[in-house]
Amino acid sequence: MAGYSRSEFPHWRSSGGCTARQTVLQRDGSNVQVGSNCQPTSGSWYSQYDNTTTSTVSQATIDHVVPLAEAWRSGANSWSQQRRADFANDLYWPQLIVASSSSNSSKGDQDPADWMPRTEYRCTYTRMWIRVKHAYDLTADSAEKSALQSALTTYC
């Protein structure tokens, strides 16, 4: 992890007046109300990772499906800072989703060899992980590949 820092991935940049975080909260929430600064003020957010819902904005965290540290270990260490910013703010590929604070904290920077969401969401999560890794041409180590293959076979 030599050289890694979250600051190497400038995130929550603004686009269209809202940050990527605010955009995901609006996109993935229900009955979301926002203030004049684009910040959600109310609504509810469902975390697929652990089947929980919160109505507290601060507890609806945004997860990088492929964590920034994992991206760094998988090839992002050689990217330009602009490419890392694009990755950290990606609203196109399934890279940013709402997650509960507890599930996001539990996941940390782990890959599927060490962390998976609840059983009912594992197929979707596995496919999202593979799609993001492929889109960004990131590598996967042998334990990660084995866990992904097992998840595809078992849950998809």
Side-chain angles (χ1 to χ4, degrees), residues 111-132:
D111 72 29
D114 298 312
W115 186 90
M116 288 290 260
R118 65 187 173 96
T119 303
E120 298 81 6
Y121 194 63
R122 288 184 182 173
C123 179
T124 300
Y125 177 76
T126 300
R127 289 178 172 166
M128 291 166 62
W129 184 278
I130 292 168
R131 186 166 283 155
V132 171

Side-chain angles (χ1 to χ4, degrees), residues 7-22:
S7 65
E8 292 294 326
F9 292 83
H11 51 291
W12 310 147
R13 71 179 173 201
S14 185
S15 174
C18 297
T19 67
R21 180 182 188 284
Q22 292 166 332

